[in-house]
Amino acid sequence: MKINKYYPFAFIYFFLNSVALPLGVLYTTLLTPVFYIWLLIKGRKHILIYFLLISAVFGIAHLLNGVLLIDYVKSYILFLSTYIFCYTFYVFCIKKAYLLEDIYNRLAKANFVLTLAAIFSLFTAFSYLFWTTSLVSASLADFPRLTMFTYEPSYYSTLLAPLFLFFFLKFFLRANTTHFLKVFILGLPLLLSFSLGVLSAIILSITLFFLINYWSILTKTRFFKWFTRILFLLVFTGIVLLLFYPDNPLFIRIGDIMAGTDTSAKGRTFEAFELAYIIAGLKSLWWGVGLGQVKTVGYETIINYYNYPRELFPVVRIPNAFAETLAVFGIVGISLRLLIQIYLFFKTNVLNNYYQTLLFFYVFIYQFTGSYLTNIAEYIIWIMAFTNCFPQFNKDYLNRFTTSKFN
């Protein structure tokens, strides 16, 4: 086996990034000075200019409107560390993209071994190491969800999403046993995490991908056969569950969502936007309340909105990246966020690469249903969506060579 000196860093990022650390702190955060020095060595001496200029504009507006300075500074440092880590990954994608597939393969295998260990742990006293048991919705109390070593199931499933989409695409373009097994061993923990926000975003991204690539993919006989087989399998599975196991957790949760009693789904979608709008308006609807201020300025708003007992909820947040952007940076912030996404979508020609297309659709959808402002797992997906790390998925490459030569 070839030595991949970057794999240990990938393993830590994927599995151990928050182990034994306070909530909100990651090892990638603590390693910020190391990443910054590495960037300087690589000749990236001016990486902070755009960040400092843009953050200064918002900072002036926030300071004029008033902030709790100590919380603002702490959150600013965390935001800066997120930027430095993401920039480091971007440079890695440019310089060492050829190592990513090997890292993907190793992570998929390691995750499967740990998933088996997690399933076995359900019958022991150590299940808490892998699973989170909590109230999911009105009808699903104390339901175990696979968290692995992260702090919540949705974060873990966000880490899995780019790997699953990668091997799904490889399987679809060149169906073989190896690729199918990779799809299975990554799909299983995704299902066990029971994060419907992530699962829904994946399903929608794949659906949109097929729709816009209908003539280049589905019209080819072999691809269409696999598409219909997968669709048939999903429909068949749904019918079997409906007939023989109608009270399964998936159907129960979907029913709760449709009935409006799924607390997680509501809290991560329309309630998050309603709270964000109210909180931003406490200071400035245009500029937001500023970094680190949601948990202070917005505390009373969120506590009163949900009638939370204060002693059980000393810290609150908005569990939606786009909504949190509205609360923190206001209308100017969400407008800038969307403009950057749209600009990079066309600038980097996302639609020319199948993998980038899938990633973009996924993360664009997911930002409206979950995540948070400093979620590095989300930003990593954005970076890969705008960086051609896997040219073998380029449309022109696949059109030039037959898919039988695709690896």
Side-chain angles (χ1 to χ4, degrees):
M1 182 180 291
K2 294 181 180 179
I3 296 176
N4 188 330
K5 65 180 181 180
Y6 294 98
Y7 176 66
F9 292 97
F11 187 90
I12 292 172
Y13 159 77
F14 199 90
F15 294 108
L16 306 176
N17 210 3
S18 60
V19 173
L21 291 178
L23 184 64
V25 180
L26 304 171
Y27 288 107
T28 49
T29 305
L30 301 178
L31 290 172
T32 298
V34 176
F35 295 137
Y36 184 63
I37 292 171
W38 185 81
L39 288 170
L40 294 178
I41 293 173
K42 295 296 179 181
R44 305 283 172 157
K45 299 179 180 179
H46 307 295
I47 67 165
L48 297 181
I49 291 178
Y50 291 115
F51 179 88
L52 294 175
L53 286 175
I54 295 174
S55 63
V57 173
F58 283 95
I60 291 171
H62 294 149
L63 290 173
L64 289 175
N65 289 325
V67 296
L68 187 59
L69 194 58
I70 186 169
D71 287 329
Y72 190 90
V73 171
K74 287 179 181 178
S75 293
Y76 186 87
I77 293 173
L78 179 60
F79 204 51
L80 176 61
S81 72
T82 301
Y83 170 78
I84 291 174
F85 173 75
C86 291
Y87 201 103
T88 303
F89 181 76
Y90 167 70
V91 173
F92 172 80
C93 283
I94 296 175
K95 303 288 186 181
K96 306 289 183 179
Y98 61 91
L99 295 173
L100 275 174
E101 185 165 353
D102 177 64
I103 291 174
Y104 273 22
N105 278 296
R106 292 169 186 255
L107 287 175
K109 293 174 183 177
N111 187 76
F112 182 59
V113 172
L114 289 171
T115 299
L116 293 178
I119 294 173
F120 176 76
S121 75
L122 284 171
F123 306 97
T124 71
F126 301 99
S127 61
Y128 68 92
L129 295 174
F130 300 93
W131 303 82
T132 295
T133 302
S134 59
L135 176 67
V136 177
S137 65
S139 305
L140 285 176
D142 298 328
F143 184 79
R145 301 170 64 192
L146 184 60
T147 312
M148 205 56 77
F149 304 124
T150 64
Y151 54 88
E152 67 175 9
S154 61
Y155 183 84
Y156 171 60
S157 54
T158 303
L159 291 170
L160 284 172
L163 275 70
F164 176 82
L165 291 173
F166 177 83
F167 289 109
F168 171 83
L169 192 55
K170 294 206 75 171
F171 168 70
F172 192 78
L173 292 173
R174 187 188 178 189
N176 62 37
T177 304
T178 301
H179 296 150
F180 175 77
L181 286 175
K182 293 287 176 55
V183 173
F184 173 77
I185 67 176
L186 290 167
L188 176 62
L190 268 174
L191 292 174
L192 294 176
S193 73
F194 210 56
S195 178
L196 291 194
V198 172
L199 291 171
S200 299
I202 288 176
I203 292 170
L204 285 173
S205 66
I206 292 174
T207 303
L208 288 172
F209 169 78
F210 283 139
L211 288 175
I212 67 168
N213 291 290
Y214 173 80
W215 289 108
S216 59
I217 293 182
L218 293 184
T219 53
K220 296 180 180 180
T221 303
R222 186 171 63 84
F223 293 160
F224 185 74
K225 284 181 179 179
W226 276 108
F227 176 79
T228 53
R229 288 172 184 173
I230 293 172
L231 184 61
F232 173 79
L233 180 62
L234 291 174
V235 173
F236 177 75
T237 303
I239 293 173
V240 170
L241 287 175
L242 185 62
L243 293 176
F244 299 102
Y245 188 21
D247 294 328
N248 66 83
L250 178 61
F251 285 5
I252 289 174
R253 191 171 183 195
I254 291 175
D256 284 346
I257 291 174
M258 295 178 67
T261 57
D262 188 293
T263 54
S264 178
K266 290 196 302 181
R268 293 176 183 274
T269 52
F270 69 88
E271 288 182 351
F273 283 98
E274 184 177 355
L275 284 169
Y277 183 85
I278 295 171
I279 291 170
L282 295 176
K283 291 288 185 178
S284 167
L285 194 57
W286 286 102
W287 296 98
V289 296
L291 288 165
Q293 306 306 295
V294 170
K295 63 182 180 182
T296 54
V297 174
Y299 182 80
E300 292 294 331
T301 300
I302 296 175
I303 285 291
N304 293 331
Y305 185 92
Y306 288 112
N307 291 317
Y308 283 155
R310 296 174 185 274
E311 60 275 9
L312 296 180
F313 292 90
V315 178
V316 293
R317 66 183 184 92
I318 298 175
N320 179 301
F322 199 87
E324 189 179 5
T325 303
L326 172 61
V328 174
F329 297 117
I331 294 175
V332 175
I334 59 173
S335 300
L336 184 62
R337 182 183 179 110
L338 285 175
L339 284 173
I340 291 173
Q341 291 169 6
I342 295 170
Y343 169 76
L344 290 176
F345 176 82
F346 291 103
K347 175 71 175 178
T348 61
N349 199 9
V350 167
L351 293 180
N352 187 53
N353 183 283
Y354 288 148
Y355 185 55
Q356 288 178 250
T357 302
L358 274 172
L359 289 180
F360 178 85
F361 285 155
Y362 164 76
V363 74
F364 186 85
I365 294 167
Y366 184 60
Q367 69 178 330
F368 296 103
T369 64
S371 191
Y372 54 94
L373 198 57
T374 55
N375 186 354
I376 59 174
E378 179 194 331
Y379 290 123
I380 292 303
I381 299 175
W382 280 116
I383 291 168
M384 289 193 293
F386 295 132
T387 308
N388 198 345
C389 299
F390 298 101
Q392 66 265 41
F393 292 121
N394 288 353
K395 283 185 179 181
D396 54 0
Y397 176 89
L398 294 172
N399 290 333
R400 189 180 310 122
F401 300 99
T402 63
T403 53
S404 62
K405 295 180 180 179
F406 183 81
N407 288 304

